[in-house]
Amino acid sequence: MHLRDSITNSLKQKEILLMTHIVLGYPSFEDNRRVVEQMVANGVDLIEMQIPFSEPVADGPVIIKANQDSLTSGTKVKDCLDFAREMCAQHPIPFLFMTYYNIVFKYGLKRFLSKAEQIGIKGLIIPDLPPEEGQEYLSLAKEHSISAIQIFAPTSTEERMQTLSSHADGFIYCVARRGVTGSQTSFDKEFNNYIDRCKANTELPLAVGFGISDKNDVEELRGKAEIAVIGSATIRLVDSEGPEAVGPFIKGLR
Amino acid sequence: MKNTNGYYGEWGGAFIPEVLFETFKEFNAAFTEVKADPSFWQEYCDLMGTYSCRPTPLTHAENLSRIFGGAQIYIKREDLNHTGAHKANNVMGQGLLVKRMAKTRVIAETGAGQHGVATATMAAKFGFDCTIYMGEEDVMRQRPNVFWMEKLGAEVIPVTSGSKTLKDAINAAFRDWVTNMDNTHYVMGTVCGPHPFPEVVAWFQSIIGIEAKEQILKQFGKLPAKVYACVGGGSNAMGIFQGFLDSRHVELIGVEAGGKGIATGQHAARLAESGGSAGVAQGYKTMFLQDEDGQMKDTHSVAAGLDYVGVSPILTDLWQNGRVRFDSATDDEVMAALEKTMRKEGIIPALESSHAFVSAFKEAGQLQPDEAIIINMSGRGDKDIFTIANAFNDPSWKKFIIERGKEYASS
Ligand SMILES: Cc1ncc(COP(=O)(O)O)c(C=O)c1O
């Protein structure tokens, strides 16, 4: 099923969806497996799987370290693709890849997208590939029925949001604030204005991420966005309490 | 050096996170405006003339020329710039741009520390707040420069992620920028990064080539046969090359860090020995030292300023088109060339610059005495005193350090 349709279906049963983030190979693929299992069992609706890159420029300290440790332990792109194939076959929710452009570029755009389609991946998030640089990527993604997720930022003007929106598919990822992943976001008037602007400039569901870490944050987003994105929070949890802590944490979010 | 929408041939571009889109638009607009305004370039030249010892001289290295028995060797003395390297050109230029854009804070990355010192100096002069990101490894290698940055009023943040060198400092600076773009300009230190950085830095550094061409014509009476420059990111090379790009018979040679030898894998030769491959990282497309998955490799050079995984997209284009030849010099060759230059000319080049000397020395003898070559001496070597003393294994220096250490320990 196309990403957009899965989201629409899920929204019939739930008011707000949860998307979580894992870094592949961190702490290990075995732990990834257990974490994903618990996420799915406890009501996560979408999972973005980050293929680690040595230069994760848009990420904060928690995810940088996860990327680095994963690579140090020997994670290869091939391992990530194999793992993703297993997850897509095993779990009934949409999986997305998140990575930086060089990983896709080096693998070969065409080859990567057809591989991703084959595996069952529904969407791709590439934070360092604006649509101006990604013409070929955008058309290949369409060809392979993979949603090339576009990103809105608080600094995006109306005009820019329109441009991004015209290339968008699946949902729009709204970066909640300036800066990198991991630190707290405040849900103030400025934030609400921003979300209103996002809504006004796209037909697609909104996923809000960067700094969403607990039940309160998810509550704040209810009625404003369709998807709450939990990133660094679960990585921190796995670091401090192990993969088993993820289930109860996810259960407590909604 | 034709630029089409931020691309030099197939290299360059602006692979930036969305949050910086407007920042780059504003930066681009400000740069386009000043580039078209001759009074801005004049203001820049005046500033460099009164604050930074420009024009820097072109020195005829008579002793070295005699020793190698070939071409007349000329040295473009960027070491005589304020703060001791060509970095000052770019930094003061971007400082004037920051003033135009009415921002109040600058950030920068630094490898050798020269760009950091230059940025801190500029910030002090213009009254900007200043934060410098520097790989932890480089903080240790280039301690004297850290001292100066701090004394000039900058905050130096050691970067502990990745390989703890220049590329990681660049990532850290981008991370700061995506949070603070409203009041902050990122003073990129070399001809790399997302468009328009390569063009901006190349433009300010072109002052080197403009002067060098005029000087060699005046002092030697004709253009040089060859021009040598070391290449980290490529800014000093692009700077001097621009004076000669259109003179097709002047051969341009970029010298990369051969480190412990290309075969050891411990080097930073991206173009010279086909060590690199096409990739997109840190906001632009160029040849990077990376593995088959696209992960950046660790690099090595005795010169912190050359220890970088990427290279200017402009140089990659010029290399691809055969306009610039690339060569590499090993750490050992660099130390030998440095020693020779000190002893014979009384000039102390930076370890980075010494790479250019290595290739020039190898090839000078193949030319005739009525021909000239120019070596761009990007910076002075006194910043490298710890590394150089180590390499020379100088006993009295060691004794001095040990005694100083004891003094500090007991006080
Ligand atoms: C003295 C000196 N030369 C050369 C370089 C290399 O940079 P680029 O290739 O941009 O000139 C550096 C960088 O720090 C430097 O300090």
Side-chain angles (χ1 to χ4, degrees):
Chain A
M1 199 186 320
H2 190 270
L3 182 58
R4 172 84 199 264
D5 300 327
S6 326
I7 293 172
T8 311
N9 280 351
S10 303
L11 282 168
K12 284 180 191 147
Q13 280 128 48
K14 305 176 193 175
E15 200 189 344
I16 188 157
L17 309 185
L18 294 179
M19 177 162 94
T20 48
H21 175 115
I22 62 169
V23 173
L24 295 175
Y26 180 81
S28 66
F29 282 106
E30 193 38 49
D31 285 324
N32 286 158
R33 210 169 265 123
R34 277 149 68 194
V35 166
V36 170
E37 229 162 70
Q38 292 182 56
M39 285 175 169
V40 177
N42 288 282
V44 162
D45 304 281
L46 309 106
I47 296 179
E48 53 171 318
M49 299 183 288
Q50 179 163 2
I51 304 177
F53 180 43
S54 57
E55 321 299 312
V57 276
D59 283 299
V62 172
I63 297 182
I64 299 176
K65 180 179 175 293
N67 272 261
Q68 233 167 271
D69 288 1
S70 175
L71 291 173
T72 306
S73 72
T75 300
K76 297 282 175 229
V77 172
K78 183 180 178 305
D79 305 328
C80 298
L81 297 173
D82 290 346
F83 180 82
R85 180 194 298 281
E86 185 189 324
M87 292 303 106
C88 292
Q90 220 160 68
H91 301 290
I93 62 164
F95 285 89
L96 292 85
F97 274 140
M98 180 265 170
T99 194
Y100 289 86
Y101 183 51
N102 199 46
I103 298 294
V104 178
F105 175 80
K106 247 322 221 183
Y107 195 85
L109 261 179
K110 218 180 158 84
R111 194 171 150 233
F112 190 92
L113 281 153
S114 68
K115 186 87 182 175
E117 182 186 28
Q118 230 181 57
I119 287 171
I121 291 291
K122 300 295 175 198
L124 220 51
I125 304 173
I126 309 183
D128 63 344
L129 189 63
E132 289 78 6
E133 300 287 0
Q135 289 308 323
E136 195 189 349
Y137 157 71
L138 290 169
S139 65
L140 282 167
K142 227 175 233 122
E143 216 174 279
H144 291 281
S145 302
I146 289 183
S147 297
I149 304 303
Q150 298 300 316
I151 299 170
F152 284 180
T155 47
S156 310
T157 60
E158 308 275 312
E159 187 193 352
R160 181 67 182 160
M161 284 182 177
Q162 281 298 324
T163 306
L164 293 167
S165 188
S166 72
H167 297 289
D169 187 23
F171 61 83
I172 297 275
Y173 192 119
C174 305
V175 171
R177 54 169 169 72
R178 293 150 194 230
V180 291
T181 54
S183 33
Q184 197 56 39
T185 290
S186 55
F187 300 98
D188 49 12
K189 193 159 153 254
E190 197 182 321
F191 176 80
N192 288 336
N193 284 342
Y194 162 55
I195 295 297
D196 287 344
R197 285 200 304 121
C198 294
K199 266 216 173 70
N201 285 292
T202 181
E203 302 276 276
L204 291 172
L206 301 182
V208 176
F210 277 41
I212 312 297
S213 63
D214 59 21
K215 188 180 166 73
N216 279 344
D217 296 341
V218 176
E219 246 355 272
E220 283 285 349
L221 293 178
R222 204 181 280 270
K224 293 178 193 161
E226 282 72 28
I227 305 168
V229 187
I230 321 287
S232 307
T234 51
I235 298 182
R236 272 195 212 105
L237 193 64
V238 175
D239 281 348
S240 60
E241 296 175 34
E244 276 63 40
V246 173
F249 169 73
I250 297 289
K251 209 179 195 92
L253 283 176
R254 245 186 321 220
Chain B
M1 206 188 106
K2 195 165 152 284
N3 164 5
T4 318
N5 299 325
Y7 276 86
Y8 304 87
E10 58 182 287
W11 314 100
F15 296 80
I16 50 172
E18 183 54 33
V19 70
L20 284 175
F21 182 83
E22 292 300 322
T23 306
F24 270 85
K25 215 164 111 179
E26 173 200 23
F27 177 30
N28 225 333
F31 177 62
T32 307
E33 192 186 305
V34 302
K35 201 173 177 190
D37 174 4
S39 76
F40 182 86
W41 185 259
Q42 195 51 53
E43 183 187 359
Y44 168 65
C45 291
D46 291 348
L47 174 68
M48 295 314 285
T50 56
Y51 189 66
S52 191
C53 203
R54 296 215 75 93
T56 58
L58 183 72
T59 303
H60 184 199
E62 286 162 331
N63 299 330
L64 288 170
S65 304
R66 198 174 326 108
I67 289 167
F68 292 107
Q72 301 306 315
I73 299 173
Y74 284 83
I75 303 174
K76 178 62 174 164
R77 303 291 304 280
E78 289 305 295
D79 59 310
L80 296 177
N81 257 302
H82 184 39
T83 69
H86 68 296
K87 300 285 175 187
N89 306 331
N90 166 44
V91 154
M92 297 313 290
Q94 287 198 51
L96 291 174
L97 252 174
V98 175
K99 253 176 50 179
R100 292 245 178 157
M101 293 189 290
K103 300 205 170 186
T104 55
R105 175 174 177 260
V106 291
I107 55 176
E109 85 295 342
T110 195
Q114 289 306 94
H115 176 56
V117 170
T119 305
T121 303
M122 177 271 279
K125 179 169 169 60
F126 287 139
F128 305 138
D129 292 329
C130 180
T131 302
I132 305 291
Y133 292 92
M134 188 167 184
E136 202 176 41
E137 171 105 354
D138 293 333
V139 167
M140 284 183 299
R141 284 198 282 190
Q142 302 284 348
R143 187 73 222 181
N145 274 340
V146 175
F147 173 82
W148 286 123
M149 284 182 258
E150 289 176 345
K151 293 304 153 224
L152 285 159
E155 183 191 7
V156 180
I157 302 185
V159 178
T160 56
S161 53
S163 58
K164 305 177 175 65
T165 60
L166 183 57
K167 77 173 175 62
D168 309 290
I170 292 178
N171 292 340
F174 271 117
R175 290 187 184 109
D176 180 317
W177 209 16
V178 298
T179 315
N180 302 303
M181 69 288 255
D182 279 354
N183 68 348
T184 300
H185 176 70
Y186 175 10
V187 184
M188 170 73 64
T190 189
V191 258
C192 294
H195 174 71
F197 275 121
E199 190 186 345
V200 171
V201 179
W203 191 54
F204 289 127
Q205 294 292 5
S206 70
I207 197 166
I208 305 173
I210 294 170
E211 285 175 14
K213 181 178 183 179
E214 221 179 273
Q215 289 165 325
I216 195 81
L217 287 175
K218 188 157 163 231
Q219 292 171 228
F220 186 68
K222 64 176 182 183
L223 289 176
K226 297 171 194 279
V227 178
Y228 296 86
C230 68
V231 178
S235 67
N236 84 87
M238 270 317 297
I240 194 153
F241 289 171
Q242 280 171 100
F244 307 95
L245 266 183
D246 297 332
S247 311
R248 305 298 296 190
H249 57 282
V250 178
E251 192 184 16
L252 308 174
I253 302 102
V255 188
E256 294 176 299
K260 296 185 177 162
I262 303 295
T264 66
Q266 297 190 54
H267 62 86
R270 299 128 307 181
L271 298 175
E273 318 278 340
S274 326
S277 63
V280 178
Q282 306 202 315
Y284 68 111
K285 183 174 177 189
T286 195
M287 298 287 277
F288 288 98
L289 283 172
Q290 55 182 332
D291 70 13
E292 65 289 348
D293 266 0
Q295 311 295 356
M296 297 302 137
K297 285 188 188 165
D298 285 350
T299 50
H300 166 83
S301 171
V302 67
L306 302 191
D307 199 352
Y308 177 52
V309 287
V311 62
S312 173
I314 310 179
L315 283 173
T316 301
D317 181 49
L318 291 167
W319 164 77
Q320 200 174 35
N321 293 323
R323 182 66 191 96
V324 177
R325 169 161 65 87
F326 275 80
D327 194 6
S328 68
T330 64
D331 292 350
D332 289 345
E333 291 172 322
V334 162
M335 292 309 303
L338 171 62
E339 188 170 16
K340 184 155 250 161
T341 308
M342 286 196 283
R343 289 291 171 85
K344 301 301 172 193
E345 295 291 348
I347 287 174
I348 311 175
L351 285 167
E352 287 81 7
S353 319
S354 300
H355 285 68
F357 285 73
V358 170
S359 297
F361 291 173
K362 278 185 194 163
E363 297 173 3
Q366 301 159 8
L367 296 167
Q368 299 306 313
D370 66 345
E371 294 176 291
I373 63 176
I374 300 180
I375 303 170
N376 197 32
M377 179 164 156
S378 56
R380 64 176 191 230
D382 38 2
K383 74 176 169 65
D384 297 319
I385 187 160
F386 288 90
T387 315
I388 295 175
N390 234 2
F392 284 139
N393 207 2
D394 185 277
S396 51
W397 173 258
K398 271 191 201 160
K399 187 159 160 274
F400 159 73
I401 295 289
I402 291 165
E403 274 164 15
R404 233 346 120 79
K406 276 189 203 145
E407 250 174 65
Y408 279 122
S410 65
S411 68

